[in-house]
mmCIF file of all heavy atoms in Angstrom:
data_model
loop_
_atom_site.group_PDB
_atom_site.id
_atom_site.type_symbol
_atom_site.label_atom_id
_atom_site.label_comp_id
_atom_site.label_asym_id
_atom_site.label_seq_id
_atom_site.Cartn_x
_atom_site.Cartn_y
_atom_site.Cartn_z
ATOM 1 N N GLY A 154 118.268 63.229 94.212
ATOM 2 C CA GLY A 154 118.206 64.617 93.700
ATOM 3 C C GLY A 154 119.093 65.499 94.532
ATOM 4 O O GLY A 154 119.778 66.411 94.011
ATOM 5 N N GLU A 155 119.186 65.275 95.814
ATOM 6 C CA GLU A 155 120.025 66.129 96.682
ATOM 7 C C GLU A 155 121.509 65.880 96.359
ATOM 8 O O GLU A 155 122.319 66.854 96.412
ATOM 9 C CB GLU A 155 119.795 65.772 98.176
ATOM 10 C CG GLU A 155 118.368 66.139 98.679
ATOM 11 C CD GLU A 155 118.051 67.595 98.712
ATOM 12 O OE1 GLU A 155 118.953 68.439 98.400
ATOM 13 O OE2 GLU A 155 116.901 67.966 98.969
ATOM 14 N N ALA A 158 121.991 67.972 93.439
ATOM 15 C CA ALA A 158 121.991 69.378 93.862
ATOM 16 C C ALA A 158 123.361 69.766 94.499
ATOM 17 O O ALA A 158 123.881 70.841 94.272
ATOM 18 C CB ALA A 158 120.880 69.646 94.841
ATOM 19 N N LEU A 159 123.909 68.833 95.256
ATOM 20 C CA LEU A 159 125.174 69.110 95.886
ATOM 21 C C LEU A 159 126.263 69.365 94.863
ATOM 22 O O LEU A 159 126.990 70.365 94.899
ATOM 23 C CB LEU A 159 125.510 67.896 96.781
ATOM 24 C CG LEU A 159 126.962 67.897 97.449
ATOM 25 C CD1 LEU A 159 127.140 69.084 98.300
ATOM 26 C CD2 LEU A 159 127.083 66.613 98.272
ATOM 27 N N SER A 162 125.380 72.534 92.587
ATOM 28 C CA SER A 162 125.592 73.790 93.230
ATOM 29 C C SER A 162 127.115 74.102 93.348
ATOM 30 O O SER A 162 127.542 75.244 93.246
ATOM 31 C CB SER A 162 124.936 73.874 94.608
ATOM 32 O OG SER A 162 125.371 72.839 95.456
ATOM 33 N N TYR A 177 127.145 83.233 97.822
ATOM 34 C CA TYR A 177 125.887 82.565 98.075
ATOM 35 C C TYR A 177 126.003 81.081 97.756
ATOM 36 O O TYR A 177 125.553 80.216 98.490
ATOM 37 C CB TYR A 177 124.748 83.176 97.256
ATOM 38 C CG TYR A 177 123.540 82.271 97.349
ATOM 39 C CD1 TYR A 177 122.743 82.343 98.474
ATOM 40 C CD2 TYR A 177 123.344 81.251 96.454
ATOM 41 C CE1 TYR A 177 121.751 81.421 98.668
ATOM 42 C CE2 TYR A 177 122.369 80.336 96.616
ATOM 43 C CZ TYR A 177 121.558 80.412 97.740
ATOM 44 O OH TYR A 177 120.565 79.487 97.900
ATOM 45 N N GLN A 181 124.912 77.265 99.496
ATOM 46 C CA GLN A 181 124.048 76.246 98.977
ATOM 47 C C GLN A 181 124.682 74.877 98.990
ATOM 48 O O GLN A 181 124.055 73.834 99.233
ATOM 49 C CB GLN A 181 123.501 76.619 97.606
ATOM 50 C CG GLN A 181 122.424 75.614 97.172
ATOM 51 C CD GLN A 181 121.832 75.902 95.786
ATOM 52 O OE1 GLN A 181 121.897 77.017 95.329
ATOM 53 N NE2 GLN A 181 121.255 74.886 95.246
ATOM 54 N N VAL A 182 125.969 74.867 98.665
ATOM 55 C CA VAL A 182 126.706 73.594 98.722
ATOM 56 C C VAL A 182 126.538 72.983 100.114
ATOM 57 O O VAL A 182 126.235 71.798 100.223
ATOM 58 C CB VAL A 182 128.181 73.803 98.342
ATOM 59 C CG1 VAL A 182 128.951 72.483 98.496
ATOM 60 C CG2 VAL A 182 128.284 74.316 96.907
ATOM 61 N N ASP A 184 124.197 73.649 102.303
ATOM 62 C CA ASP A 184 122.832 73.241 102.488
ATOM 63 C C ASP A 184 122.549 71.867 101.890
ATOM 64 O O ASP A 184 121.897 70.982 102.491
ATOM 65 C CB ASP A 184 121.852 74.208 101.820
ATOM 66 C CG ASP A 184 121.817 75.609 102.436
ATOM 67 O OD1 ASP A 184 122.330 75.682 103.607
ATOM 68 O OD2 ASP A 184 121.272 76.514 101.822
ATOM 69 N N GLU A 185 123.017 71.660 100.669
ATOM 70 C CA GLU A 185 122.710 70.412 99.957
ATOM 71 C C GLU A 185 123.409 69.245 100.615
ATOM 72 O O GLU A 185 122.856 68.141 100.673
ATOM 73 C CB GLU A 185 123.145 70.496 98.466
ATOM 74 C CG GLU A 185 122.518 71.672 97.681
ATOM 75 C CD GLU A 185 121.000 71.667 97.612
ATOM 76 O OE1 GLU A 185 120.396 70.817 98.261
ATOM 77 O OE2 GLU A 185 120.476 72.529 96.919
ATOM 78 N N HIS A 188 121.188 68.367 103.340
ATOM 79 C CA HIS A 188 119.984 67.666 102.857
ATOM 80 C C HIS A 188 120.284 66.197 102.533
ATOM 81 O O HIS A 188 119.487 65.312 102.918
ATOM 82 C CB HIS A 188 119.408 68.364 101.585
ATOM 83 C CG HIS A 188 118.988 69.724 101.839
ATOM 84 N ND1 HIS A 188 118.531 70.612 100.825
ATOM 85 C CD2 HIS A 188 118.933 70.499 102.992
ATOM 86 C CE1 HIS A 188 118.270 71.786 101.376
ATOM 87 N NE2 HIS A 188 118.493 71.730 102.678
ATOM 88 N N MET A 230 118.926 72.661 87.525
ATOM 89 C CA MET A 230 118.904 72.362 88.958
ATOM 90 C C MET A 230 118.087 73.369 89.735
ATOM 91 O O MET A 230 117.128 72.958 90.416
ATOM 92 C CB MET A 230 120.393 72.325 89.451
ATOM 93 C CG MET A 230 120.547 71.737 90.812
ATOM 94 S SD MET A 230 119.511 70.298 91.191
ATOM 95 C CE MET A 230 120.411 68.941 90.674
ATOM 96 N N GLN A 231 118.455 74.631 89.680
ATOM 97 C CA GLN A 231 117.815 75.608 90.566
ATOM 98 C C GLN A 231 116.349 75.817 90.293
ATOM 99 O O GLN A 231 115.556 76.011 91.191
ATOM 100 C CB GLN A 231 118.505 76.958 90.500
ATOM 101 C CG GLN A 231 120.017 76.892 90.696
ATOM 102 C CD GLN A 231 120.437 76.681 92.104
ATOM 103 O OE1 GLN A 231 121.265 75.800 92.362
ATOM 104 N NE2 GLN A 231 119.916 77.473 93.035
ATOM 105 N N VAL A 234 114.622 71.114 88.936
ATOM 106 C CA VAL A 234 114.701 70.088 89.946
ATOM 107 C C VAL A 234 114.318 70.637 91.305
ATOM 108 O O VAL A 234 113.464 70.123 92.045
ATOM 109 C CB VAL A 234 116.086 69.388 89.998
ATOM 110 C CG1 VAL A 234 116.169 68.395 91.107
ATOM 111 C CG2 VAL A 234 116.395 68.774 88.646
ATOM 112 N N GLU A 235 114.914 71.772 91.665
ATOM 113 C CA GLU A 235 114.679 72.315 93.012
ATOM 114 C C GLU A 235 113.247 72.910 93.079
ATOM 115 O O GLU A 235 112.608 72.820 94.120
ATOM 116 C CB GLU A 235 115.646 73.386 93.348
ATOM 117 C CG GLU A 235 117.096 72.912 93.161
ATOM 118 C CD GLU A 235 117.867 73.152 94.455
ATOM 119 O OE1 GLU A 235 117.647 72.352 95.379
ATOM 120 O OE2 GLU A 235 118.692 74.086 94.450
ATOM 121 N N GLY A 236 112.843 73.576 92.042
ATOM 122 C CA GLY A 236 111.511 74.185 92.073
ATOM 123 C C GLY A 236 110.440 73.174 92.240
ATOM 124 O O GLY A 236 109.506 73.309 93.047
ATOM 125 N N ALA A 238 110.974 70.103 93.495
ATOM 126 C CA ALA A 238 111.156 69.483 94.770
ATOM 127 C C ALA A 238 110.529 70.323 95.835
ATOM 128 O O ALA A 238 109.936 69.812 96.811
ATOM 129 C CB ALA A 238 112.632 69.305 95.030
ATOM 130 N N PHE A 242 108.056 68.943 98.430
ATOM 131 C CA PHE A 242 108.327 68.904 99.862
ATOM 132 C C PHE A 242 107.183 69.533 100.630
ATOM 133 O O PHE A 242 106.821 69.106 101.729
ATOM 134 C CB PHE A 242 109.633 69.667 100.160
ATOM 135 C CG PHE A 242 110.884 68.972 99.724
ATOM 136 C CD1 PHE A 242 112.008 69.685 99.504
ATOM 137 C CD2 PHE A 242 110.886 67.572 99.575
ATOM 138 C CE1 PHE A 242 113.209 69.028 99.092
ATOM 139 C CE2 PHE A 242 112.029 66.915 99.177
ATOM 140 C CZ PHE A 242 113.189 67.671 98.913
ATOM 141 N N VAL A 261 114.294 71.723 105.546
ATOM 142 C CA VAL A 261 114.715 71.627 104.137
ATOM 143 C C VAL A 261 114.008 72.639 103.260
ATOM 144 O O VAL A 261 114.592 73.285 102.423
ATOM 145 C CB VAL A 261 114.562 70.187 103.613
ATOM 146 C CG1 VAL A 261 114.850 70.126 102.163
ATOM 147 C CG2 VAL A 261 115.462 69.176 104.403
ATOM 148 N N ASP A 264 115.471 76.088 103.222
ATOM 149 C CA ASP A 264 116.693 76.178 102.401
ATOM 150 C C ASP A 264 116.302 76.208 100.907
ATOM 151 O O ASP A 264 116.839 77.027 100.110
ATOM 152 C CB ASP A 264 117.628 74.980 102.662
ATOM 153 C CG ASP A 264 118.216 75.041 104.039
ATOM 154 O OD1 ASP A 264 118.141 76.087 104.727
ATOM 155 O OD2 ASP A 264 118.798 74.002 104.466
ATOM 156 N N GLU A 265 115.455 75.288 100.532
ATOM 157 C CA GLU A 265 115.156 75.149 99.094
ATOM 158 C C GLU A 265 114.523 76.462 98.568
ATOM 159 O O GLU A 265 114.766 76.792 97.421
ATOM 160 C CB GLU A 265 114.217 73.978 98.863
ATOM 161 C CG GLU A 265 114.771 72.602 99.203
ATOM 162 C CD GLU A 265 116.043 72.262 98.453
ATOM 163 O OE1 GLU A 265 116.489 72.971 97.607
ATOM 164 O OE2 GLU A 265 116.585 71.127 98.719
ATOM 165 N N ALA A 266 113.726 77.068 99.372
ATOM 166 C CA ALA A 266 113.065 78.282 98.941
ATOM 167 C C ALA A 266 114.171 79.299 98.528
ATOM 168 O O ALA A 266 114.023 80.018 97.545
ATOM 169 C CB ALA A 266 112.173 78.863 100.079
ATOM 170 N N ARG A 267 115.180 79.340 99.297
ATOM 171 C CA ARG A 267 116.296 80.271 98.992
ATOM 172 C C ARG A 267 116.984 79.853 97.698
ATOM 173 O O ARG A 267 117.313 80.711 96.895
ATOM 174 C CB ARG A 267 117.343 80.115 100.130
ATOM 175 C CG ARG A 267 117.710 81.411 100.754
ATOM 176 C CD ARG A 267 118.621 81.273 101.945
ATOM 177 N NE ARG A 267 119.262 80.058 102.233
ATOM 178 C CZ ARG A 267 119.065 79.365 103.340
ATOM 179 N NH1 ARG A 267 118.222 79.774 104.235
ATOM 180 N NH2 ARG A 267 119.726 78.215 103.569
ATOM 181 N N HIS A 268 117.181 78.577 97.525
ATOM 182 C CA HIS A 268 117.853 78.113 96.315
ATOM 183 C C HIS A 268 117.128 78.496 95.062
ATOM 184 O O HIS A 268 117.732 78.910 94.090
ATOM 185 C CB HIS A 268 118.029 76.544 96.394
ATOM 186 C CG HIS A 268 118.765 76.099 97.574
ATOM 187 N ND1 HIS A 268 118.797 74.759 97.937
ATOM 188 C CD2 HIS A 268 119.444 76.759 98.555
ATOM 189 C CE1 HIS A 268 119.536 74.657 99.057
ATOM 190 N NE2 HIS A 268 119.840 75.848 99.449
ATOM 191 N N VAL A 269 115.815 78.270 95.099
ATOM 192 C CA VAL A 269 115.013 78.640 93.901
ATOM 193 C C VAL A 269 115.109 80.134 93.644
ATOM 194 O O VAL A 269 115.301 80.576 92.548
ATOM 195 C CB VAL A 269 113.556 78.112 94.083
ATOM 196 C CG1 VAL A 269 112.735 78.567 92.875
ATOM 197 C CG2 VAL A 269 113.523 76.647 94.283
HETATM 198 FE FE1 FE2 C 404 118.453 72.972 97.016
#
Side-chain angles (χ1 to χ4, degrees):
Chain A
E155 295 294 355
L159 173 58
S162 58
Y177 170 81
Q181 188 178 336
V182 175
D184 291 348
E185 304 301 4
H188 298 175
M230 193 38 89
Q231 309 285 130
V234 177
E235 307 235 74
F242 288 157
V261 173
D264 292 346
E265 297 300 358
R267 232 175 12 242
H268 303 170
V269 178

